[in-house]
Amino acid sequence: MPCAPLLTLAVDLVLPLVVYYAARVLGAGQGSALLLSGAPPALHLLSGAVRRHRIDGVDLFFTILLATAAVASLMGGGTRLLLCKDAALSLVVGGWVLGSGFTRRPPAFQLGQRLHRGEVARARSVAWQNHAGFRQSLRVLTLLWGAEQLLDGGLGILTALTLPTDTVPLLARLQSLLLLALAAAVTAVHARRFRGRHGLSLFGDPEWMTRPVSRWR
C-alpha cells in the first residue's frame, strides 16, 4: 500500500515526460508528442476504476477532465496552447479541491479511505463523525493541496507562454515535483503534530482503530 502514492507519482509526472521526449527522439512533432504524453495518466485512472469495479466521484471528475483536455488538444491551437493544457488542468483541479474543502467528505478524507480498507477505513469514518479536530485538520490539508495545485497551474501557464517549448515539459514536471514535495512535507509535519496532540493518525493506522471514542483527545 505505501507504494501506491509513488506509483501514482511516477505515472502522472515521470512517465508522461519519458513518453514526450521518447516521441520527440523518434521524430514526432511537438503537438503529437504532447498528446501521447497525456495517455499514461488517463490509462492509469481508467485501470484503477476497472480494478475497483466502480467509478466514484473523484474518478468521474478526473475522467471528464482528461477527456475534455484530449478533445481540446485535438482541436489544435498551436504548441503553446497544448503546453498550457496541463497547467490549465492544475488550475481546474486546484479550484475543485478548494471548492470541495468544506463538502461532506473533502478529498483529504477520501484519500485516506483509498489508502485503507476494512476496519481502518471504518475507524476513520467514525473519527470523521466524532472528532472535530480530525475533520478540521483534513479540511486544512485539503485547502493546502488545492492551493498547491493553483500555484502549480499559474506558474505552469507562465512557463508555457515564455520559455522555449521543448524545455517546458521538463521544467513543468520539475516544478510540479518541487511543489508536491513541499506540500507533502507540510502535510507530514501537520499529521505528526496532530497525532502527538490527539493520539490519532490523520490517514489511518491500525494502532488506534479499536480505541474507544471516549479515549480520543
Side-chain angles (χ1 to χ4, degrees):
M1 193 69 69
C3 293
L6 294 178
L7 176 61
T8 298
L9 189 66
V11 172
D12 292 346
L13 288 177
V14 180
L15 192 54
L17 190 63
V18 173
V19 170
Y20 174 81
Y21 285 108
R24 292 290 284 152
V25 169
L26 293 174
Q30 288 180 326
S32 299
L34 287 169
L35 288 174
L36 288 172
S37 70
L43 292 175
H44 182 232
L45 176 65
L46 293 175
S47 66
V50 170
R51 286 196 307 271
R52 293 190 297 272
H53 304 292
R54 65 184 178 86
I55 296 180
D56 59 21
V58 175
D59 286 334
L60 182 61
F61 171 78
F62 283 105
T63 299
I64 294 174
L65 197 62
L66 289 171
T68 302
V71 171
S73 299
L74 292 173
M75 292 173 64
T79 302
R80 292 284 181 186
L81 182 61
L82 289 176
L83 289 171
C84 288
K85 179 196 68 176
D86 288 343
L89 290 179
S90 293
L91 290 175
V92 174
V93 170
W96 173 73
V97 172
L98 286 177
S100 62
F102 294 95
T103 56
R104 188 171 64 89
R105 292 192 170 188
F109 174 79
Q110 295 183 44
L111 173 63
Q113 294 300 84
R114 285 189 174 207
L115 293 175
H116 300 283
R117 293 291 184 270
E119 291 298 324
V120 176
R122 285 190 286 273
R124 295 188 77 255
S125 292
V126 173
W128 179 262
Q129 294 170 7
N130 294 280
H131 198 292
F134 186 79
R135 294 192 298 272
Q136 181 183 9
S137 288
L138 289 178
R139 293 193 194 282
V140 167
L141 291 180
T142 295
L143 297 179
L144 167 70
W145 284 93
E148 180 273 332
Q149 283 293 294
L150 286 179
L151 179 59
D152 189 22
L155 293 176
I157 294 285
L158 181 63
T159 299
L161 293 178
T162 58
L163 296 180
T165 53
D166 260 335
T167 66
V168 171
L170 176 60
L171 292 177
R173 290 298 183 270
L174 292 176
Q175 168 196 292
S176 294
L177 285 171
L178 176 60
L179 290 175
L180 283 172
L182 290 174
V186 174
T187 298
V189 170
H190 183 80
R192 189 178 302 114
R193 288 178 176 175
F194 179 87
R195 182 164 185 158
R197 185 179 302 118
H198 300 285
L200 299 176
S201 169
L202 286 176
F203 295 101
D205 185 338
E207 178 184 319
W208 60 265
M209 71 181 185
T210 58
R211 185 182 303 170
V213 174
S214 60
R215 293 183 57 193
W216 293 350
R217 299 194 296 273

